[in-house]
Amino acid sequence: MAAPSQPQKATYDVIVIGAGIQGSFTAYHLAQRHKDTLLLEQFLLPHSRGSSHGQSRIIRSAYPQEYYSRMMPESFRLWQQLEAETGTTLYRQTGLVVLGPPGEPELEGCRRSLGVDQVLDAAALAQRFPGFRLQAGQVAVVDSTAGVLFADRALRAVQEVFRRHGGTLRDGEKVLRIEPGATVTVTTTAGVYKAPRLIITAGAWTGAFVEQLGLHLPLQPLRIDVCYWREKQPGSAGMGSVGPCFLTLGLSQAPHGIYGLPSIEYPGLMKVCHHHGCPTDPEKRDQALLSAARPDIALLSSFISSYLPGLETQPAVMETCLYTNTPDEDFILDRHPKFSNIVIGAGFSGHGFKLAPVVGKLLCELSLGEEPSHNMAHFAITRFPGVLGAAL
């Protein structure tokens, strides 16, 4: 990916490890601040080994947690800015249905974040969106601002602008060693680089990197089944390519939640997935796939029978993705407690893509020693006890 006009050199203002959506937006903000930035990626781009590939992600204003909902207006604005910078459409507004039992705390949090007073019952939702069949007593909230981000296209766009602003992107370079200090030294399979600042946004590989730095973060990589379900008859699901996304909260049969997107990626196929998966080693993900049991498929089939009767009950296409979860499913955005010039962004727990423009800005601010533009209390490393190992 490194352009011919970007000769290899040894010293930069900042090095960012990991060119997924979080690392790429971090590098984007640094380059816009005129920082000479090196963005390193272990795989050749584009690739499907991490968490940022695929064609679509949900973006929404509705969030149970106020600290995320406060970030979303800026996130929408920054996505629009990236669209303008690249002349590329990155977002399609579809709306979002959030459904669950009445009074469910997270559903109520979403309702409050939208400033909505009323909820829809089964009859009102079916009238508005015929493809959904709520169960007796359940309710829904509609987020009209929500929609679909075109993920692969978005990742290419932010990397394009980063390089346009003078940033250096080197792919196919696996980081072998990080040596902390006033100047951090990063050794890869292709070179040795130095910078006074380092940012680690390596997704499922972050835990191994920070272990080198005496930090034991509770990060759990999960392999997620990404499933696409065929309409029984074209248009019969009542959803189509203009239908809404959806998200379940508080369903007893799906405690981790189920989410879905309309048939934008594959015509006539709706994306419906369980917001959870099986623990995995990212280095052995392909081996795990060969023998993997898939209990989520039965859960999703049952859900589709009840809630989306216009879809077939067996997936037509199955892909995989990686989540990297923290125990509380909140992000880690913080400086290393011992090496303040090393910043870590991790644990995006399957809901980070939409917020990547703001996350990148926050990691940029942390790295430059600035006051972060949002409250960082919920993202601190110190919320997890015993993470700092023996001094290096």
Side-chain angles (χ1 to χ4, degrees), residues 88-378:
T88 305
T89 299
L90 302 177
Y91 162 69
R92 179 168 181 174
Q93 188 171 354
T94 65
L96 170 79
V97 174
V98 186
L99 60 96
E104 200 280 331
E106 289 197 322
L107 185 63
E108 282 297 298
C110 286
R111 185 185 62 77
R112 285 194 299 271
S113 72
L114 295 170
V116 173
D117 293 328
Q118 300 298 318
V119 295
L120 304 180
D121 62 14
L125 185 67
Q127 184 174 10
R128 186 163 175 182
F129 301 115
F132 282 108
R133 181 187 292 165
L134 284 184
Q135 303 306 291
Q138 293 177 348
V139 296
V141 173
V142 176
D143 176 354
S144 61
T145 69
V148 175
L149 287 169
F150 301 124
D152 284 341
R153 195 185 300 174
L155 185 60
R156 288 193 302 270
V158 69
Q159 291 169 354
E160 175 192 327
V161 176
F162 165 64
R163 289 166 58 178
R164 195 189 298 164
H165 281 83
T168 301
L169 172 54
R170 300 191 64 84
D171 63 348
E173 288 199 34
K174 185 178 177 66
V175 172
L176 302 175
R177 187 166 64 255
I178 299 168
E179 299 168 57
T183 298
V184 182
T185 303
V186 177
T187 302
T188 75
T189 49
V192 179
Y193 308 100
K194 296 178 182 290
R197 304 174 185 88
L198 173 69
I199 302 172
I200 301 173
T201 52
W205 288 264
T206 298
F209 282 128
V210 300
E211 287 275 350
Q212 297 181 39
L213 303 170
L215 199 57
H216 308 293
L217 296 180
L219 296 170
Q220 177 60 69
L222 300 175
R223 190 201 74 243
I224 307 299
D225 289 325
V226 181
C227 302
Y228 298 83
W229 310 75
R230 192 180 307 281
E231 296 176 343
K232 291 177 179 176
Q233 297 176 350
S236 67
M239 305 287 286
S241 61
V242 295
C245 303
F246 75 84
L247 176 67
T248 77
L249 295 172
L251 298 187
S252 58
Q253 68 268 45
H256 297 286
I258 293 171
Y259 65 91
L261 295 85
S263 54
I264 289 175
E265 297 183 41
Y266 301 111
L269 300 184
M270 188 173 178
K271 183 177 180 177
V272 182
C273 308
H274 189 206
H275 192 62
H276 196 60
C278 300
T280 192
D281 178 344
E283 294 288 355
K284 299 176 181 176
R285 174 183 170 193
D286 295 337
Q287 296 169 236
L289 282 174
L290 296 175
S291 59
R294 288 191 156 93
D296 291 347
I297 304 305
L299 181 153
L300 291 168
S301 294
S302 174
F303 173 84
I304 283 168
S305 295
S306 299
Y307 289 83
L308 296 166
L311 299 180
E312 300 283 355
T313 56
Q314 290 300 313
V317 175
M318 290 180 58
E319 300 171 354
T320 62
C321 188
L322 290 178
Y323 286 3
T324 306
N325 280 33
T326 61
D328 57 13
E329 297 191 359
D330 282 330
F331 308 158
I332 292 171
L333 308 173
D334 205 353
R335 298 181 182 92
H336 190 293
K338 188 171 186 293
F339 308 113
S340 61
N341 61 339
I342 298 178
V343 170
I344 299 156
F348 295 102
S349 300
H351 67 107
F353 201 102
K354 70 184 78 61
L355 284 155
V358 176
V359 165
K361 180 182 175 185
L362 291 169
L363 292 174
C364 170
E365 290 166 344
L366 284 172
S367 182
L368 298 179
E370 299 172 356
E371 184 68 24
S373 49
H374 291 270
N375 186 338
M376 303 293 279
H378 292 278

